[in-house]
Amino acid sequence: MADTELTTLLNVLNSKRTHVLSILEGLDEEALRRPVLPSGWTCLGLVHHLALDDEKFWFRAIAAGQETAIDEILGAGESAWQPAQEKTAEDVFALYRREAELADVFLAGADLNAPPAWWPDFFGGRRYDNLREVVLHVITETAAHAGHLDVVRELIDGKQHLIVP
């Protein structure tokens, strides 16, 4: 990975991924599944969403065009925001780590100027022109959701997660 821009972007993304998981450390299964906000989403649902709707969707499907990922996404009958009850918190965290690892494998040799390999028709006119825009989108999504988790964690048990530069 000689591309310093790609290395920098992946370092930022990995710090946000780590933040997502670290803010939830120490919460039990009940707390991870408890909706705290009126919208009803849960901490576990948000991590599940990040695994499927961000890591898998944007990197393996959109950027890499992996047929299995595309087929799984198009065939998913459940909401990524609602992990199945039989999935434990550790299952969801492992899924997130695994999707991040698979994304990193693809990204390690990728060209930031490459166009997306697949683009779904359900986006209408919205389109990213290259992998750089996809990576920046996922960084933004992950950072925004890490902030959501910070607030919800504080509401659950008062714990604050402070990042020291």
Side-chain angles (χ1 to χ4, degrees), residues 27-44:
L27 287 178
D28 64 19
E29 195 84 26
E30 185 276 326
L32 290 165
R33 291 183 184 276
R34 181 177 358 128
V36 178
L37 300 175
S39 63
W41 66 262
T42 66
C43 294
L44 206 56

Side-chain angles (χ1 to χ4, degrees), residues 10-145:
L10 290 180
N11 286 341
V12 171
L13 178 57
N14 280 317
S15 75
K16 302 309 169 204
R17 289 168 172 162
T18 299
H19 183 120
V20 163
L21 294 174
S22 68
I23 191 58
L24 300 177
E25 285 178 6
L27 287 178
D28 64 19
E29 195 84 26
E30 185 276 326
L32 290 165
R33 291 183 184 276
R34 181 177 358 128
V36 178
L37 300 175
S39 63
W41 66 262
T42 66
C43 294
L44 206 56
L46 193 144
V47 174
H48 197 249
H49 158 73
L50 284 170
L52 300 178
D53 292 342
D54 285 297
E55 298 287 344
K56 182 179 193 174
F57 179 78
W58 287 105
F59 292 132
R60 292 206 297 130
I62 298 287
Q66 293 177 0
E67 288 298 324
T68 55
I70 294 167
D71 291 344
E72 289 168 8
I73 288 163
L74 294 177
E78 63 183 344
S79 166
W81 284 89
Q82 302 293 329
Q85 277 302 118
E86 63 270 10
K87 284 187 179 177
T88 66
E90 192 46 50
D91 292 338
V92 174
F93 294 151
L95 174 66
Y96 183 55
R97 286 186 202 99
R98 179 69 180 146
E99 287 298 335
E101 289 170 8
L102 291 169
D104 286 349
V105 168
F106 164 72
L107 291 167
D111 175 3
L112 287 173
N113 295 312
W118 174 72
W119 198 261
D121 57 8
F122 53 79
F123 277 150
R126 177 179 161 216
R127 185 174 178 87
Y128 290 134
D129 293 325
N130 55 52
L131 178 59
R132 179 181 293 99
E133 292 176 340
V134 170
V135 173
L136 290 169
H137 173 80
V138 175
I139 289 171
T140 302
E141 280 283 304
T142 307
H145 289 319

